[in-house]
Amino acid sequence: MRVSFASAAGSEHKPNEDFVAVSPRVALVLDGLTSPPELGSGCVHGTPWFVGQLGTHLLREATCRPEVQLADCVAEAISQVADLHRDTCDLSHLGTPSCSVALVREGAHTIDHLSIFDSVILLDGPQGLHALSDLRVDGYAQQEHKETTRHRIGTAEHQQAVSRLVAAQRPHRNVPDGYWVAAANPTAAYNAVTGSVPRAEVSRAAVLSDGASCLAEDYGLTDWAGLLDILETEGPDELISRVRRAELTDPSGERWPRYKACDDSTAVFCRLDSPESAGL
């Protein structure tokens, strides 16, 4: 699996809350959920620390234990990171640091994938292109979401609406019949969207935070196949540049209503050789 990737913060004034990591057989992207300061998190470390720790532990688990199911790898990584700050932080807080997870792993016969929350996995090959994500959150706080679209980005009204949306979503997070994020509860791993595809059916793949997938998913400036073509021919940096150029034409979110003028953006592109040439 040949891999290229790029990641960029959405603002020069805030740290990048995305995390990307790859090994010869694994590619993963984590996208930290922004916590409005007024709502608190119960954690003294913050989201960038959390996604860095979880991503590092998860890459090790998924790479060093290829025989273990991805859900078990994610559950173990979540448990390990929870243990790191259980004594200093309130892990029961509804706003405890959390993130999406999008993960692919190449095996001898399959490409295994796992998604928690809204990051996107694209798998393309002779049988067609498949876009995989977990959008169960869209079923909650719909009225609060609509309210965010009524105000221009950068206004106090918009920020207050986003804060009310997050507050309305949180009670539905990581509970039965709710939606799931990677946080302190390893049960989230067993509520992920998972699957396996025969390896011969995948020739190229991408793993994207929503700050990169938005070029196709939200802005409609290309489709999934076109996005993969950009990644393959021009690279992940160019994909992120196209996202930024689009956002600069609509800084207040009038054309494309959204929560931030620019979100953290991360993209991984994977080119898979035939099993024979890969030596599998």
Side-chain angles (χ1 to χ4, degrees):
M1 186 166 72
R2 292 169 288 159
V3 177
S4 57
F5 62 88
S7 185
S11 168
E12 61 183 15
H13 305 296
K14 295 181 180 180
N16 190 345
E17 295 183 337
D18 285 359
F19 180 90
V20 57
V22 301
S23 68
R25 303 284 183 217
V26 175
L28 65 90
V29 170
L30 277 55
D31 181 355
L33 275 66
T34 299
S35 179
E38 63 274 15
L39 297 182
S41 70
C43 179
V44 300
H45 299 94
T47 300
W49 175 88
F50 173 76
V51 296
Q53 291 291 334
L54 183 61
T56 300
H57 282 77
L58 179 51
L59 181 68
R60 183 177 65 239
E61 290 294 320
T63 300
C64 297
R65 300 203 295 164
E67 75 286 355
V68 175
Q69 295 291 317
L70 290 182
D72 291 326
C73 293
V74 174
E76 179 62 23
I78 289 173
S79 295
Q80 290 171 357
V81 176
D83 288 343
L84 292 178
H85 65 142
R86 192 179 307 280
D87 294 336
T88 58
C89 305
D90 179 9
L91 302 189
S92 66
H93 194 289
L94 291 178
T96 193
S98 58
C99 64
S100 70
V101 175
L103 169 65
V104 297
R105 182 171 65 186
E106 178 187 21
H109 304 292
T110 62
I111 301 296
D112 302 325
H113 58 84
L114 178 147
S115 299
I116 303 175
F117 205 56
D118 61 357
S119 291
V120 174
I121 295 170
L122 302 178
L123 302 176
D124 189 28
Q127 304 303 314
L129 193 159
H130 302 280
L132 310 165
S133 190
D134 176 9
L135 299 178
R136 282 172 283 185
V137 66
D138 291 349
Y140 302 93
Q142 294 174 347
Q143 187 57 45
E144 288 83 358
H145 167 72
K146 290 179 182 177
E147 184 63 23
T148 68
T149 68
R150 298 190 178 108
H151 306 289
R152 292 162 61 96
I153 294 171
T155 64
E157 292 81 5
H158 182 266
Q159 182 54 50
Q160 291 163 4
V162 171
S163 185
R164 288 193 295 269
L165 169 65
V166 174
Q169 290 173 333
R170 280 184 175 181
H172 304 285
R173 185 179 295 175
N174 286 6
V175 296
D177 299 322
Y179 69 95
W180 295 84
V181 296
N185 184 353
T187 302
Y190 301 108
N191 287 274
V193 176
T194 61
S196 295
V197 178
R199 192 185 181 284
E201 293 183 9
V202 181
S203 57
R204 59 181 186 169
V207 189
L208 310 157
S209 68
D210 64 346
S213 65
C214 59
L215 191 73
E217 192 169 30
D218 300 314
Y219 305 162
L221 297 178
T222 185
D223 57 13
W224 291 128
L227 189 150
L228 276 170
D229 290 342
I230 294 169
L231 288 171
E232 183 169 22
T233 62
E234 302 183 66
D237 283 306
E238 173 59 20
L239 174 65
I240 295 173
S241 292
R242 292 195 187 197
V243 170
R244 292 290 179 263
R245 292 197 295 269
E247 291 166 339
L248 287 174
T249 69
D250 181 41
S252 60
E254 294 177 84
R255 180 179 180 185
W256 300 302
R258 54 197 189 275
Y259 305 139
K260 305 173 185 177
C262 297
D263 197 3
D264 301 332
S265 301
T266 301
V268 181
F269 177 74
C270 309
R271 165 57 70 179
L272 288 93
D273 298 317
S274 67
E276 294 79 12
S277 60
L280 296 174

